[in-house]
Amino acid sequence: GWKGAINTTIINFNNEKMQITWAARELFPSENVSFSYTFDEGKHKVWKPCPTYLLDQDYNSGCLFKTEGPTLAISIRSSNGSEELFSKRLKSDFYIKPNRPENVTFFWKEDTVIVSCNKPERAVKCLRLELQYKSKFDKDWQSRTSKCCSVGEQGFDPRKCYSFRVRLKRLVPYCNVVNYSSDWEAETFWMNGTLLDSCDDDIKSQSNTVIFLSCFLAVLLMILILLILLCKWQRLQKSVMPAIPDPKYVFADLFSDHNGNFQEWIEETAHAMVQTKPEYEEPECIIEAESQQEDNKNSDKQSSQEKIFNFSRAAENNDPKATQIACLMPTSNTIASFAGFQILMNNDMYVML
């Protein structure tokens, strides 16, 4: 009953190496068994001992040896080899586990990606290329399978970062009795046709953008608050402490012409005031008594005219005495010329025109 009860695991690594394992501690708890194999057929079989044992707590739990043909026979015996505990014949080609895909390339065109790899040397018809992908928003992998050695998929969002991984699978049951697939090729990360180190870079870039915008808005808000406070402070300062006028603008010539030399500026200013002082000042007219005016009325008419004539000539020469005479002289129906003005004399009044 032992020969049919032992459960073994058989793997043919890409038709290059065979690995056969068994549960040593469960099946043979008190004995360290031995293993032998042969790829020969017919009556004249040459059994070979296991070249490399796999151990489980110092007990033989498996054997690793080279694949030498399509037909394999194995035998598990007692430690001294006297008793056969398990034997089996099998087709090694039905237990092939392919190697990882080699030279994987990604071709992007808009929202479509095509993944391809090099074709293996053997049994290409039995192989399928499997593509799995997911975005940072997906929990589970999406899977697509196609003939070796190219697979394509559409509908990728250029704004998302995707993780990709590929492997080769053997067809069951046409080529394998066990569903063996290769190990996954190294995972890659893509966004809009650009290879990234990881999708965390995309998350970091978005977080950095959010942080930058937040800081920028905060700075703008602080500048606005400072401007408002500055305007209010200037209004308060003007109301509490009025601005003192700057003498630089009130006395522009003091600073522009004399470089702030006050003594030089005041002397020139005083000199200019003296020069601009009027040479002629209108004397104050003295009003004579009425009796004196009546005497002047009775004076000789000819004498008046001579006086007027002399007065006119003296007035033209800006003679102060003429002015005094003009104030004192009696008026008559005579017009005299005085300093560019005309004086109408009529009886007791004179009018300057």
Side-chain angles (χ1 to χ4, degrees):
W2 281 103
K3 293 184 180 181
I6 296 178
N7 186 19
T8 58
T9 302
I10 304 169
I11 303 175
N12 183 0
F13 292 102
N14 199 38
N15 210 24
E16 296 173 359
K17 288 184 177 182
M18 296 290 302
Q19 175 181 292
I20 300 176
T21 57
W22 56 87
R25 300 299 299 164
E26 297 177 4
L27 298 175
F28 313 108
S30 59
E31 186 175 6
N32 198 2
V33 297
S34 61
F35 179 85
S36 59
Y37 68 96
T38 182
F39 287 94
D40 297 330
E41 297 183 7
K43 297 180 179 179
H44 305 285
K45 296 179 181 178
V46 179
W47 292 89
K48 298 179 181 179
C50 178
T52 304
Y53 278 103
L54 304 177
L55 302 179
D56 180 14
Q57 298 180 5
D58 296 331
Y59 283 85
N60 296 334
S61 62
C63 181
L64 185 63
F65 53 95
K66 185 179 180 180
T67 303
E68 299 176 0
T71 303
L72 173 65
I74 60 174
S75 176
I76 298 177
R77 294 177 175 273
S78 60
S79 57
N80 54 14
S82 59
E83 182 182 0
E84 187 179 67
L85 303 177
F86 174 77
S87 65
K88 186 175 183 179
R89 289 175 56 88
L90 55 95
K91 289 288 187 180
S92 61
D93 292 345
F94 288 169
Y95 296 86
I96 294 177
K97 179 178 180 179
N99 289 339
R100 292 178 179 179
E102 297 179 353
N103 193 22
V104 179
T105 58
F106 289 79
F107 175 75
W108 288 81
K109 185 177 180 181
E110 296 179 355
D111 65 339
T112 304
V113 60
I114 299 175
V115 184
S116 60
C117 66
N118 291 344
K119 289 185 178 181
E121 296 179 357
R122 301 175 183 175
V124 178
K125 295 182 179 180
C126 291
L127 294 175
R128 294 292 180 267
L129 182 63
E130 182 182 9
L131 169 67
Q132 286 191 348
Y133 62 91
K134 67 176 180 179
S135 71
K136 59 186 178 182
F137 303 103
D138 299 328
K139 294 182 179 180
D140 300 326
W141 289 93
Q142 306 295 322
S143 183
R144 294 292 181 271
T145 304
S146 181
K147 292 181 179 180
C148 186
C149 291
S150 178
V151 59
E153 182 63 14
Q154 297 179 344
F156 291 98
D157 190 344
R159 298 170 296 179
K160 295 181 180 180
C161 178
Y162 291 89
S163 304
F164 290 91
R165 62 182 185 180
V166 292
R167 66 180 178 179
L168 290 173
K169 297 179 65 174
R170 289 275 295 186
L171 288 176
V172 177
Y174 304 103
C175 299
N176 263 30
V177 295
V178 183
N179 189 10
Y180 281 148
S181 301
S182 70
D183 295 334
W184 290 105
E185 180 62 15
E187 187 174 349
T188 56
F189 307 92
W190 295 80
M191 181 177 179
N192 196 20
T194 303
L195 181 63
L196 304 176
D197 293 335
S198 68
C199 284
D200 294 336
D201 296 340
D202 178 47
I203 298 174
K204 289 180 181 179
S205 62
Q206 291 184 356
S207 62
N208 292 336
T209 303
V210 172
I211 293 173
F212 174 76
L213 291 176
S214 301
C215 294
F216 181 72
L217 293 176
V219 170
L220 288 180
L221 182 60
M222 290 179 63
I223 293 175
L224 180 61
I225 294 174
L226 289 176
L227 289 176
I228 295 174
L229 293 176
L230 181 61
C231 293
K232 290 187 177 181
W233 169 251
Q234 288 180 349
R235 291 182 181 178
L236 179 62
Q237 189 177 20
K238 288 181 179 180
S239 61
V240 176
M241 296 179 292
I244 301 174
D246 192 348
K248 181 177 180 181
Y249 302 101
V250 179
F251 305 100
D253 53 347
L254 171 62
F255 295 95
S256 62
D257 299 338
H258 302 282
N259 295 325
N261 192 333
F262 181 78
Q263 187 66 29
E264 182 181 340
W265 174 76
I266 199 64
E267 289 179 359
E268 183 175 337
T269 305
H271 180 67
M273 292 178 63
V274 171
Q275 287 183 350
T276 56
K277 185 177 181 180
E279 296 181 358
Y280 167 75
E281 294 183 1
E282 183 178 354
E284 186 177 349
C285 294
I286 303 173
I287 303 173
E288 299 291 338
E290 293 181 359
S291 58
Q292 186 177 358
Q293 291 180 0
E294 290 178 356
D295 293 339
N296 291 332
K297 288 179 183 180
N298 296 325
S299 61
D300 188 67
K301 184 177 182 181
Q302 184 177 358
S303 178
S304 288
Q305 291 177 352
E306 291 178 357
K307 290 180 181 178
I308 293 170
F309 176 75
N310 293 331
F311 158 73
S312 175
R313 295 182 60 184
E316 290 178 357
N317 296 327
N318 293 329
D319 191 352
K321 292 182 178 181
T323 305
Q324 187 175 4
I325 292 172
C327 295
L328 297 177
M329 63 181 293
T331 60
S332 62
N333 294 328
T334 306
I335 299 177
S337 176
F338 164 53
F341 297 93
Q342 290 182 340
I343 301 176
L344 176 62
M345 300 176 186
N346 185 13
N347 298 329
D348 295 337
M349 297 180 64
Y350 69 91
V351 178
M352 182 177 292
L353 303 177

